[in-house]
Amino acid sequence: QVQLVESGGGLVQAGGSLRLSCTASRRTPIVPVMGWFRQAPGKEREFVAAITWSGGSTLYADSVKGRFTISRDNAKNTVYLQMSSLKPEDTAVYLCAARLQWGAAETLKEPKNYDYWGQGTQVTVSS
């Protein structure tokens, strides 16, 4: 089974930083795309970033471009989201996801196009 577990969330002040991790079980096969999404109470799930298996291609939401960096370590079966210059509007539950096929950029921004999900980790940014 494909199992994804996020960690690294917490409470930080505006302007601070956090690094989120998502680790897959050893039973998880290699997948072409890993992504990060976030969801705040009462809001739709929002795309944050995505990365290919090789790490050669990345995609970011405009709201986080220049502040967040997605990366992955295939040997550790882990994908990371380095977040800096955090803002109160970044507050949300952050979830990692896996997609079995590469696709056009617009398709990678849609939660419905991902096949596996973690349970999420809470990020709270205070002002």
Side-chain angles (χ1 to χ4, degrees):
Q1 296 181 10
V2 176
Q3 300 183 53
L4 306 173
V5 180
E6 302 96 332
S7 63
L11 174 63
V12 298
Q13 295 182 355
S17 63
L18 282 174
R19 176 180 286 182
L20 306 183
S21 299
C22 174
T23 299
S25 72
R26 291 182 177 274
R27 302 156 78 182
T28 303
I30 296 174
V31 295
V33 181
M34 296 291 294
W36 285 97
F37 291 77
R38 64 188 183 187
Q39 188 165 21
K43 294 186 177 181
E44 299 287 339
R45 189 164 294 181
E46 177 188 19
F47 172 77
V48 177
I51 188 170
T52 61
W53 182 252
S54 68
S57 296
T58 57
L59 181 68
Y60 295 94
D62 289 342
S63 60
V64 306
K65 190 174 297 182
R67 300 188 298 120
F68 292 10
T69 300
I70 187 171
S71 62
R72 63 193 300 173
D73 185 337
N74 294 338
K76 297 183 181 297
N77 299 315
T78 300
V79 62
Y80 304 95
L81 185 68
Q82 178 67 49
M83 306 183 294
S84 61
S85 301
L86 284 163
K87 305 174 181 179
E89 52 261 44
D90 294 319
T91 296
V93 173
Y94 283 71
L95 306 100
C96 69
R99 189 175 191 271
L100 298 182
Q101 293 184 332
W102 179 256
E106 57 268 26
T107 70
L108 302 182
K109 297 178 180 179
E110 294 293 333
K112 66 179 181 181
N113 293 326
Y114 286 76
D115 303 289
Y116 305 101
W117 294 87
Q119 294 300 306
T121 184
Q122 177 70 45
V123 172
T124 302
V125 184
S126 64
S127 59

